[in-house]
Amino acid sequence: MVHSNAEHPGDVIARLRATFRTGRTKPLSWRREQLIALRTMLTEHSQEFAAALHADLGKSEREVFRTEIGSTVGEIDHTLEHLEEWLRPEPVEVPERLRTATAWTVHDPLGVVLVIAPWNYPAHLLLAPVVGALAAGNCVVAKPSELAPATSRVIAELLPQFVDSDALAVVEGAVPEVTALLEQHLDHIFYTGNGTVGRIVMRAAAEHLTPVTLELGGKSPAFVDQGTDLQTVASRLVATKFLNAGQTCVAPDYVLTDPVTASKLEDALETAVQQTYGDDPAASPEYGRIVNERHFDRLTGFLGSGRPVVGGEHDRASRYLAPTVLAGVAPDSPVMSEEIFGPILPIVEVAGLDEAIAFINERDKPLALYAFTESATTRDRLLAETSSGGVGFGLPLAHLTVSDLPFGGVGESGMGNYHGRYSLETFSHRKAVLDMPLG
Ligand code: NAD
């Protein structure tokens, strides 16, 4: 199978731009065909995706269907259902002095857009933005992560067989390939990954005045209020923190709670880990592995940051790190100095809500803020007094599965957003139109 790495990045972009100029990507029918083809690719080749994702990250088939294939198919179906309605010109009111005129907005495709994906959900985080880019009528260069090589290979082989290959190209590779792509004139760059590379992307984009969407990470706190049902809290924390062995951008990074709740929560978390992964998580087919040795070493380096009350076991050869809870973690300890992005949950004690809010506001704006509380006042205060990409009360992660909610960060956790109609907005130009009759 030929994929685009045989071509120079400049030639790839020129080829896609030539397609875009023919206008072929603009009709609704073309856009729908591409989305349906993408869907077919995912459902007909789900086993290849499952095998690749298992090879790259030890993901179980169940997890692949839920968080990689199912989530992308869900995004496709939602877009197919609403695209026609979203694309309708939107009339706007005109001022009195222009009363004989009409005014409206339309969505214009941008042209050739680049989607750069990370390794942690290497299929979904590439394909979900691609859904939006195609739905908006663009040509797309898709760059999967080299750190999930098996998934990258499957995507490079399959995608051009299903989607119009004059309008979409997959470029595999690492820093040199991305660097060469970033030198080209693109019409939008959609980057998911870390803030260091986010800055490289934005600098390169500035050269061509190319707009960017940066989907970055950060430390998403989970505030646990006193008096909540800790067994429920613990099982929801475990389900969302240890999914994909903690390698999820919106995973709860750490817990903030008062000392009394903290000690009860430790026990509840131990029970919840046992219920979810059994006595030996290493033997659970549901539990993933750390992506590579560099990340494994980084993560095990955090284990001394607190008292391990759950887990802590690890094995470098298989890149296994048990679901781990660290208690009594100091705010300035290493595990609190960067996004963990692995299966370690530190519990940081604060006196109460005021201190929790101050703690959150002293740090970078997180991608998500979670809170478990029965108090509406506490929820209102957290909403009003903190800033984050999104908020989940009572259940982490679920907000990003709602296609009608925008997904994205703020400040250090990113800029711009996508999902559902927000993807269409991201990958389109909202063109303003005014029509004044001549007569
Ligand atoms: P990564 O290392 O796979 O990098 C992402 C992409 O950047 C890859 O395609 C890679 O080829 C490219 N890249 C790497 N170095 C580069 C360089 N010097 N110049 C140009 N391109 C380069 O993934 P990662 O950054 O380790 O991903 C983890 C981070 O991503 C975490 O911070 C996580 O929170 C964040 N993340 C955010 C989201 C979100 O939706 N907001 C989702 C997943 C991950």
Side-chain angles (χ1 to χ4, degrees):
M1 176 64 217
V2 182
H3 62 94
S4 342
N5 280 18
E7 280 176 278
H8 181 273
D11 296 337
V12 176
I13 310 291
R15 184 164 66 78
L16 298 184
R17 199 171 292 292
T19 305
F20 184 74
R21 289 201 175 121
T22 65
R24 151 160 149 209
T25 63
K26 290 188 178 169
L28 177 64
S29 56
W30 182 89
R31 305 181 194 198
R32 291 180 59 89
E33 276 161 28
Q34 306 315 309
L35 298 188
I36 292 166
L38 247 181
R39 191 186 202 290
T40 308
M41 175 190 85
L42 287 167
T43 50
E44 283 182 2
H45 293 272
S46 60
Q47 288 307 326
E48 276 127 291
F49 277 98
L53 287 156
H54 189 266
D56 286 333
L57 288 144
K59 290 195 192 210
S60 72
E61 219 171 85
R62 202 167 71 99
E63 195 172 316
V64 168
F65 285 110
R66 194 154 63 95
T67 64
E68 299 268 13
I69 294 182
S71 52
T72 313
V73 167
E75 188 66 21
I76 292 171
D77 287 345
H78 182 76
T79 308
L80 282 171
E81 190 185 335
H82 296 287
L83 187 56
E84 187 170 7
E85 152 206 339
W86 293 339
L87 285 171
R88 270 183 215 132
E90 274 182 39
V92 299
E93 262 182 50
V94 293
E96 186 52 29
R97 71 196 145 74
L98 293 172
R99 67 186 172 282
T100 56
T102 46
W104 65 96
T105 64
V106 289
H107 290 95
D108 248 1
L110 295 171
V112 180
V113 305
L114 170 62
V115 175
I116 307 174
W119 50 266
N120 60 332
Y121 291 87
H124 176 77
L125 291 175
L126 184 79
L127 298 175
V130 166
V131 169
L134 292 171
N138 296 289
C139 292
V140 187
V141 183
K143 159 61 185 76
S145 176
E146 71 279 15
L147 297 185
T151 311
S152 174
R153 203 80 282 285
V154 168
I155 288 172
E157 285 186 2
L158 291 177
L159 207 49
Q161 290 179 37
F162 283 83
V163 175
D164 182 345
S165 61
D166 292 329
L168 179 140
V170 180
V171 173
E172 290 193 270
V175 178
E177 287 77 9
V178 185
T179 307
L181 281 171
L182 290 176
E183 282 165 9
Q184 310 303 315
H185 184 189
L186 295 150
D187 299 297
H188 193 93
I189 303 172
F190 188 104
Y191 169 80
T192 305
N194 66 74
T196 307
V197 178
R199 285 169 167 80
I200 295 173
V201 168
M202 201 166 167
R203 256 182 237 120
E207 233 6 82
H208 299 283
L209 281 184
T210 299
V212 294
T213 303
L214 301 179
E215 295 280 342
L216 310 177
K219 291 181 85 61
S220 299
F223 174 70
V224 181
D225 206 357
Q226 56 190 4
T228 46
D229 171 1
L230 293 181
Q231 213 48 67
T232 302
V233 172
S235 71
R236 293 182 186 180
L237 279 173
V238 165
T240 53
K241 172 72 186 188
F242 300 120
L243 178 76
N244 197 24
Q247 301 163 117
T248 302
C249 56
V250 278
D253 188 273
Y254 63 96
V255 167
L256 280 177
T257 194
D258 64 275
V260 176
T261 309
S263 72
K264 293 187 206 152
L265 184 62
E266 288 165 22
D267 295 338
L269 285 166
E270 188 176 5
T271 310
V273 167
Q274 206 271 341
Q275 282 169 350
T276 311
Y277 299 109
D279 290 330
D280 179 16
S284 166
E286 292 305 320
Y287 191 64
R289 295 295 181 267
I290 306 307
V291 67
N292 58 27
E293 287 174 355
R294 182 173 67 81
H295 280 287
F296 179 86
D297 293 341
R298 184 181 63 80
L299 289 164
T300 49
F302 290 148
L303 293 175
S305 290
R307 190 164 39 87
V309 288
V310 181
E313 303 81 14
H314 49 93
D315 172 46
R316 194 169 194 266
S318 57
R319 303 190 315 275
Y320 167 75
L321 173 54
T324 297
V325 178
L326 295 180
V329 172
D332 58 354
S333 62
V335 77
M336 291 304 293
S337 66
E338 60 180 82
E339 178 182 1
I340 301 169
F341 219 54
I344 302 174
L345 183 65
I347 301 178
V348 178
E349 291 175 13
V350 284
L353 181 63
D354 287 339
E355 206 178 306
I357 289 175
F359 191 95
I360 294 161
N361 290 337
E362 275 160 16
R363 288 165 173 75
D364 291 335
K365 293 177 182 176
L367 187 54
L369 169 86
Y370 302 119
F372 298 89
T373 176
E374 300 286 356
S375 158
T377 313
T378 299
R379 292 196 291 271
D380 289 348
R381 280 198 58 197
L382 283 164
L383 266 187
E385 296 177 35
T386 68
S387 176
S388 58
V391 170
F393 290 133
L395 183 60
L397 265 58
H399 62 292
L400 68 103
T401 65
V402 179
S403 292
D404 281 329
L405 283 175
F407 176 57
V410 55
E412 277 290 322
S413 56
M415 61 182 72
N417 51 48
Y418 73 128
H419 286 183
R421 70 174 309 154
Y422 296 96
S423 293
L424 178 69
E425 299 298 334
T426 287
F427 287 109
S428 305
H429 165 60
R430 269 255 184 198
K431 190 156 71 180
V433 188
L434 179 123
D435 184 4
M436 172 70 92
L438 292 174

